[in-house]
Amino acid sequence: MKAPLSQYPGMNPFVLDWLGGDERFLPRGREGLRAASCELRAGLAQALDASNRHWGIFAKDAIQRWASGETRTIIAGQQVGFAGGPLYTLAKIASIVRMKRDLEKAGTPATALFWLATEDHDFDEVATLNVPARLIPSVDAHQLDLLCMRASRGVDSRAIVGSLPVPEPLIASFLSSLGIPRPAWLREGITFRDSFAELIASLFDNEVILVDALLPELRRAGAPLFEAIRSGHDAIHAALTQRGKELAAAGYNEQVLPNEQSEYTLLYEVDEQGRRKALTANVAPERISTSALTRPLLQDSVLRPDIFVGGPAEVAYYAQIAPLHELLGVTLPRVALRGHVLVAPKRVARAMERFDIHPAEAFSSADALIAEREPENVARIREILDDGKRELMQRIEQVGELALPADHSLAGSIQRSVGHLEFHFNKLGERAIKGLVRKDRERFAALREVVSTLYPDRHVQDRTVSWYAWWHVYGMGVTEQMIEVVEPDQAFFKLAVL
């Protein structure tokens, strides 16, 4: 089951045009084996091996092959969200694993890297998890689609989240809701970074190598780039301003906007308390943190990936910063869109087949879906209501023609009455249509589950729903099914049946 991304709610219009072949702002689909900086990579190899061993990934040989430039490098990344974050995080990892396997099947060695965005300071996003209510026995799934677990912010809003301990109340809520014992990746005092990394390591073994954005050796390797960004401040801002005008002229929005002073944030400084603030002085590279605009530049200059796999927003970042790659002498990788995959149990997939529901139709409501399948009677109800409203309005107009000359104060009352009558006519129509469509209880229940699974609380599933909640029920079948189904860099989304 698949459908065009143009039918996926909220898809970035630039990405849709880019997938369709518009390469004005970002080249598409071209790649070659890039010349790796073996000197840079050799300095990182030992640090990567040590950090990955700490998380349970033993991939020293693979890291050494990558460091010597023997493999193609595929990279993606994401914030270190609690319990692995939303489903699209798993879709990103599945995308790079699928690309790695496909390359190796064709005889080309490949390395899959996953960037842990540990320097971000969006605590609310990292410490929030939405679990499908249908997977929690104690929750009434008829009343809500998602159970939201969220930790209250008890830290400075500028604190980088990767190094913060996962809050105990959030862990307790999670374990209680799913009814599971406490795993090692949620042990007391563990940080968001280590918790996320150990969970991913437990699923993908040595197939994915994790890269901590705050790894000191990575920051030191980025020192020449940081200096180039600081010394080229004016030229960088001029290039970004010009690209912003070009994007606007083409009908697109900048992914990152300038601040009130018409300047773009390029670099931050991390102080001794772990807080990000504007970079104001010369500091050691280990204390420099990148912004959304410069993070890809650090990744591309130090790790030298052949292929970057990102979500729609990240692809749009590249369109905005592509001029900076040339300006700073950083080679642009091939940019590919992550695969878009939604997941559903077999019974939901069977309901979609039985009632002939196209995946994109799930981005609606059960009432609307059934109403579309009762066109004759629904249309008749609407026709009767429209005729009734039209006739009533004519009568009210006649009353006004007779009474207003005698009492002009009636104008307001008549207008209010018209509004009330229209409101109640519309409510009557809604109730009548709902009553009509709910006559088929079995069909309504099935369609309700389809919508609540794929479009819970009117959010596309992969953007907001915890993948771990599905993994808790279906195990490694979720992971392997995602890898098997995912198709990166395509203009459609697919359904993985569990």
Side-chain angles (χ1 to χ4, degrees):
M1 294 183 180
K2 65 182 180 181
L5 277 178
S6 58
Q7 297 177 351
Y8 177 100
M11 178 54 62
N12 189 305
F14 164 77
V15 173
L16 290 175
D17 291 343
W18 176 74
L19 287 169
D22 186 343
E23 299 187 25
R24 286 177 293 171
F25 302 105
L26 185 65
R28 170 163 167 71
R30 292 188 294 272
E31 63 175 287
L33 187 59
R34 301 176 62 197
S37 173
C38 296
E39 183 180 349
L40 272 176
R41 288 183 174 181
L44 279 173
Q46 187 174 354
L48 284 176
D49 180 42
S51 60
N52 277 268
R53 281 177 178 273
H54 174 71
W55 297 317
I57 299 172
F58 301 95
K60 183 175 182 179
D61 290 344
I63 292 171
Q64 289 297 338
R65 288 194 297 273
W66 167 79
S68 61
E70 298 175 22
T71 67
R72 286 196 178 183
T73 304
I74 311 163
I75 192 168
Q78 186 56 38
Q79 284 181 320
V80 286
F82 173 65
L87 182 62
Y88 66 71
T89 303
L90 190 61
K92 284 183 178 179
I93 301 175
S95 293
I96 62 175
V97 170
R98 174 65 181 269
M99 295 175 87
K100 176 180 184 292
R101 291 182 182 180
D102 287 349
L103 283 170
E104 291 178 339
K105 192 178 296 183
T108 301
T111 303
L113 303 178
F114 194 78
W115 179 285
L116 307 180
T118 49
E119 61 186 325
D120 287 0
H121 58 252
D122 191 341
F123 180 85
D124 291 338
E125 184 174 350
V126 168
T128 298
L129 193 73
N130 292 296
V131 175
R134 291 178 181 273
L135 300 182
I136 305 174
S138 61
V139 174
D140 185 356
H142 295 287
Q143 298 298 317
L144 76 164
D145 294 337
L146 295 174
L147 176 66
C148 180
M149 304 175 194
R150 179 180 291 117
S152 58
R153 182 189 289 275
V155 297
D156 190 311
S157 62
R158 296 171 298 167
I160 55 176
V161 296
S163 303
L164 295 175
V166 181
E168 280 295 313
L170 181 59
I171 296 175
S173 176
F174 175 73
L175 299 179
S176 173
S177 296
L178 294 186
I180 59 176
R182 188 166 187 160
W185 53 269
L186 284 179
R187 60 186 175 275
E188 185 175 357
I190 195 169
T191 63
F192 280 101
R193 171 185 52 230
D194 289 347
S195 177
F196 182 95
E198 290 182 20
L199 173 58
I200 298 303
S202 70
L203 266 64
F204 292 95
D205 294 326
N206 304 329
E207 203 160 14
V208 177
I209 296 166
L210 304 178
V211 181
D212 180 2
L214 290 173
L215 193 67
E217 291 80 0
L218 176 70
R219 296 286 151 172
R220 286 196 287 270
L225 174 71
F226 298 151
E227 180 54 37
I229 291 173
R230 296 186 65 172
S231 62
H233 177 276
D234 293 343
I236 290 171
H237 276 81
L240 288 172
T241 300
Q242 179 59 31
R243 176 49 60 98
K245 292 177 180 177
E246 294 167 354
L247 289 168
Y252 305 125
N253 295 321
E254 291 179 280
Q255 195 64 27
V256 178
L257 296 171
N259 59 25
E260 295 82 359
Q261 290 75 42
S262 298
E263 288 206 348
Y264 297 88
T265 301
L266 301 178
L267 297 172
Y268 295 96
E269 173 187 348
V270 179
D271 66 18
E272 293 179 356
Q273 286 73 44
R275 298 172 300 186
R276 287 212 300 184
K277 58 184 182 180
L279 185 63
T280 57
N282 288 320
V283 297
E286 294 88 344
R287 289 178 55 191
I288 294 179
S289 173
T290 52
S291 70
L293 292 174
T294 54
R295 186 206 63 77
L297 293 167
L298 175 62
Q299 164 198 280
D300 298 342
S301 66
V302 175
L303 302 178
R304 307 287 179 95
D306 297 283
I307 306 171
F308 169 77
V309 178
E314 293 165 311
V315 170
Y317 284 143
Y318 267 93
Q320 187 173 0
I321 67 169
L324 303 188
H325 280 78
E326 183 176 357
L327 182 65
L328 296 169
V330 178
T331 303
L332 185 75
R334 173 195 161 191
V335 177
L337 182 68
R338 71 167 174 90
H340 283 68
V341 181
L342 309 182
V343 300
K346 286 187 175 73
R347 67 177 182 277
V348 171
R350 284 195 295 265
M352 295 177 72
E353 292 177 353
R354 179 181 177 188
F355 297 113
D356 192 26
I357 304 171
H358 192 261
E361 289 184 293
F363 304 136
S364 180
S365 69
D367 286 324
L369 280 174
I370 299 180
E372 291 172 2
R373 287 157 174 76
E374 295 278 3
E376 184 176 341
N377 289 333
V378 170
R380 180 60 183 146
I381 289 175
R382 287 176 174 153
E383 181 183 350
I384 292 170
L385 289 171
D386 287 343
D387 288 345
K389 281 196 290 185
R390 190 162 43 249
E391 184 175 345
L392 183 60
M393 293 307 112
Q394 289 174 352
R395 299 303 183 192
I396 292 175
E397 187 177 342
Q398 290 173 359
V399 170
E401 290 174 353
L402 291 172
L404 283 177
D407 186 356
H408 290 291
S409 66
L410 284 173
S413 296
I414 290 173
Q415 192 61 40
R416 286 191 295 273
S417 296
V418 168
H420 288 310
L421 288 168
E422 286 186 332
F423 172 79
H424 287 294
F425 256 97
N426 291 336
K427 293 299 290 184
L428 174 62
E430 289 177 10
R431 291 190 63 182
I433 291 171
K434 285 183 178 180
L436 177 66
V437 301
R438 283 180 176 157
K439 68 181 182 181
D440 187 340
R441 296 292 180 180
E442 181 183 357
R443 181 168 57 163
F444 179 80
L447 297 186
R448 170 72 179 85
E449 186 172 12
V450 169
V451 173
S452 66
T453 299
L454 303 182
Y455 197 46
D457 294 335
R458 302 195 67 78
H459 298 289
V460 186
Q461 180 201 67
D462 67 337
R463 288 181 182 156
T464 188
V465 176
S466 161
W467 64 261
Y468 185 85
W470 289 106
W471 191 91
H472 163 65
V473 175
Y474 295 96
M476 288 302 293
V478 176
T479 310
E480 287 303 322
Q481 183 71 356
M482 286 283 288
I483 296 171
E484 180 180 340
V485 167
V486 74
E487 292 189 54
D489 215 24
Q490 298 295 328
F492 51 76
F493 65 92
K494 300 180 72 175
L495 187 67
V497 180
L498 305 177

